[in-house]
Amino acid sequence: MAPGLLDLVNLTTWAVCAVIKLPQLVAVLQAGSAWGLSVGSLLLELAGFLVFLRYQIYYGYPLETYLEYPIIIAQDVILLFCIMHFSGKAKRALFYAVVFWVGWYMLTLQKWIIDLAMNLCTFVSAASKLVQLQHLWQTKDSGQASALTWGMSAYTCATRIITTVMTTNDLAVLIRFIIMLILNIWVTATILQYSKTKKTD
């Protein structure tokens, strides 16, 4: 495939990721509520992103294939703090920060640790989506969950499938993106379903 296509896919991925969590943040801040969002889901997602970023750095993969992750992680941290603030759990933020910080350094103590973490990362990231789905199914209300944010996540997974095939061809990374694409589409569809239900009531 042409290098121009790779550049285009990378650029659109970065552009989408620069604002990926903003619709969700705006919805939470405007409502002054985190209703419809799962703290557990966001914590699992953040853990998955951190492991994935560390794996990419450890193996020296091209920066273009993971440049969006520090941006998404920063947005996730802000969103997590907002959710914890509106649900009265802001004091737990320091505990989670310490756990993630220690985990970041422990991941690369041995090669087998980062390899195992990457394989588990797919399950952790999938669990984050399933926890959000479960929350939506239980409440039958999309609340402040943003279909746009989840749809953009599906788009970036699709683009990263392309870039992985074109650059590193890492099977663990490819499997992760395929699974995340399917689950992001599922969460998006569920949010849209419950937001339509809410409008017709």
Side-chain angles (χ1 to χ4, degrees), residues 43-73:
L43 288 168
L44 288 170
E45 178 181 73
L46 188 56
F49 286 162
L50 288 168
V51 168
F52 186 77
L53 176 62
R54 193 67 163 159
Y55 179 86
Q56 297 281 326
I57 293 168
Y58 182 83
Y59 280 103
Y61 285 157
L63 181 63
E64 304 84 43
T65 62
Y66 64 88
L67 184 61
E68 70 272 15
Y69 278 85
I71 298 165
I72 297 171
I73 289 168

Side-chain angles (χ1 to χ4, degrees), residues 46-47 50-51 54 93-110 113-114 117:
L46 188 56
L50 288 168
V51 168
R54 193 67 163 159
L94 179 61
F95 170 75
Y96 292 129
V98 169
V99 169
F100 284 127
W101 188 263
V102 169
W104 175 261
Y105 286 101
M106 290 182 64
L107 284 170
T108 55
L109 291 176
Q110 297 283 326
I113 296 173
I114 191 68

Side-chain angles (χ1 to χ4, degrees), residues 151-201:
M152 288 191 293
S153 293
Y155 172 79
T156 61
C157 286
T159 61
R160 284 306 175 207
I161 290 169
I162 295 167
T163 60
T164 301
V165 168
M166 292 176 70
T167 57
T168 65
N169 219 16
D170 185 315
L171 185 60
V173 173
L174 192 57
I175 290 169
R176 178 183 190 277
F177 283 127
I178 291 168
I179 292 170
M180 294 308 100
L181 172 63
I182 293 165
L183 291 172
N184 282 326
I185 290 170
W186 194 359
V187 173
T188 304
T190 305
I191 291 169
L192 291 172
Q193 175 190 355
Y194 287 129
S195 44
K196 284 181 185 175
T197 304
K198 193 163 69 172
K199 287 178 184 174
T200 58
D201 287 347

Side-chain angles (χ1 to χ4, degrees), residues 74-94:
Q75 291 178 55
D76 257 359
V77 168
I78 294 166
L79 179 59
L80 181 61
F81 184 76
C82 288
I83 291 171
M84 294 178 89
H85 170 74
F86 289 123
S87 59
K89 299 175 184 176
K91 291 181 181 179
R92 292 186 188 174
L94 179 61

